[in-house]
Amino acid sequence: MENRKIRMIPIVEISTLPGLLRRNALRFGEKRVALREKEFGIWQAITWSDYYENVKRLALGLHLLGFRKGDKLSVIGDNRPEWFYAELAAQSLGGAVVGIYPDSHLDQVEYNINHSDSTFVMVGDQEQADKILTIKEKCPNIKKAIVDDPKGMRGYDDPILVFLKDVQQAGRALADRNPALFDEMIDQLSQDDVGLIIYTSGTTGLPKGSMITHKNMTSIGQLLDEVDEARETDNYVSFLPLSWIGEQHFALYWSLTKGFTVNFPEKVGTTQQNIREIGPDLMLAPPRIWEKMCSDIQVKIQDAAWIKRMVYKIFLSVGYRATGFKLNKKTPPVYLRLFKWIGYWLLFRSLKNYLGLARVRHVYTGGAPLGPEIFQMFQALDVNIKQAYGMTELSGGTLIHRTDDIRLDTVGKPLPGIEVRISDDGEMMIKGDTNFKGYYKDPEATQKALRDGWFHTGDAAILDEDGQVVIIDRVSDVMKLADGGKFSPQLIENKLKFSPYIIDALVIGQDKPFITGMINIDMNNVGKWAENNQIPYTTFADLSQKESVYALIEQEVAKINTTLPRVARVRRFVLLYKELDADDEELTRTRKVRRKFVSEKYRHLIDALYGDEKELEVESDIRYRDGKGFQMKTMVKVQHVGS
């Protein structure tokens, strides 16, 4: 990129993402790596100059195709630098990006494109291009579908398709003819322009399109950095879907604010290996990832030699004791610090290396509450994991633990400049520059969510004397037994998922005499347990309904019950004969259980849990991602805990 003499503008004065990109390109040029992607086994580096040039060429190419201010570009594909190029290119032209989860069904893709009025779509590969070609007649507003990776598409000749490299080549030619055009476009942007329409998870109905402005995006990146300062030399691995606001916050907004390097895994299956190779300094993962790591550790230790199991048991308990002092803001005694140091060299260091967390400095969990048992385990391993609370409508994480003030029962304090208030009925409300502009084409829902500048989160919460926020549950999800006893299903579910053999759980009890649960076993860990105990099985359904597996899970539930108040203990449960799946609309694309939908779908199981039947025959329609399906029949048992 050509050298320019400019006044170095402080980051806080730049209020658009393309403006931050231009600033970083001028500041770092070819000297620093902005993005890194593993392809064909080799990490490919992209400098800030290259990053800027790719965005410029794509933006000008889109301009030639007819993309104008206020237009929408839907993007569907895996995490790659090209997603960043597309998002920033559309924003540079005064438009907005609409993120779509790559594993979305055709009807979900169609809904997002049509509801957002997208006129252009960028697809990652042949699979995603096929989706667009299948639904193009139902999406009449689409002018062009831009294909990033053309592998396997040599014979495609549909006029709606155009390849990314060709769009960028046309944009480069326009830049040669009019070198100042791109910068003029960036200069015309306003902080109040909508740069992103990101859809909510849809746990209670159809997803709503949250309109996120440049002010929202630049503010949230800056505010997080005021609490946990990132360094230009830091590395972050982007493996969570970019259609999720949490990944947008960390991978895009924060990286553009501070100028650190974002790395992309080679493919979904190599993510853990690629994280180990990079050794990130910053990391964000949802509870499901941390729960999976804990389960993997527990299962591997069970299979280890007796000496390793003994070392693990001894020094993990040391880690727990040291964590207790740390969380209570006390200094551990000398002997405990000594044992912790020995434990680091004998155990913790190798475990952290295995998980790719050896260098991590700021590490977060977000998207849903993380169970205290998981928190304690990582703290015991010397991974200073912190809870970040956020929502799509808040542009990302707005409440966060401070490094030296972590409490297992809270989600931390608001970021600087963010106000929190608890309403008379216990609902948390938030005000600040991160509050979204409103729901796209839904003024009624906008008015309900945003009142007098406050966003109504829908979460029941408590603000304690230290300024930390305790989230109880969703206001709509707090349950009450028939005798009036209240309980939080989320708390019980998180405890259940701490078991290495349980991957998902749904607790039931509203207006019922006692609490019951529907449980999903972890196929990998229970399968390994079955093999070690010489228990034959064929399918998930077969394994889940084994008497021995029911006995195993009953032991786990009984153990967890001892940590719960009597009113909150699970008395009966069933093991689901299939995994809860987003393709069956049982989970959102962010892996949250759609409680109301699942409760309706499995109403027959819930009735059995409160009836006299010991087992029942069930039939279920299973649907695959391609829309095909089949009907499953199986027998499901009702297990009484402690009987």
Side-chain angles (χ1 to χ4, degrees), residues 491-543:
L491 170 68
I492 304 169
E493 289 159 3
N494 285 338
K495 283 182 173 289
L496 289 169
K497 287 187 287 185
F498 182 68
S499 165
Y501 304 116
I502 298 173
I503 196 168
D504 261 318
L506 186 75
V507 165
I508 303 110
Q510 179 67 32
D511 298 325
K512 301 292 186 182
F514 50 82
I515 294 172
T516 62
M518 295 189 290
I519 291 174
N520 249 165
I521 61 170
D522 185 309
M523 179 66 172
N524 291 333
N525 292 345
V526 175
K528 188 160 185 57
W529 173 87
E531 290 169 14
N532 291 342
N533 288 275
Q534 298 183 335
I535 299 169
Y537 67 92
T538 52
T539 62
F540 181 96
D542 179 38
L543 178 63

Side-chain angles (χ1 to χ4, degrees), residues 1 32 49 72 87 90 171 177 183 186 188 225 250 264 288 339 357 371-372 383 416 420 471 488 521 578 586 628:
M1 190 177 70
R32 295 206 57 80
S49 289
K72 320 295 188 308
E87 181 161 342
R177 296 194 301 272
D183 282 332
I186 292 179
Q188 291 170 9
D225 201 67
F250 282 69
F264 299 92
R288 184 174 290 265
F339 274 110
L357 304 176
V383 177
V420 172
I471 301 292
S488 166
I521 61 170
K578 63 175 286 295
E586 297 158 339
K628 296 179 181 177

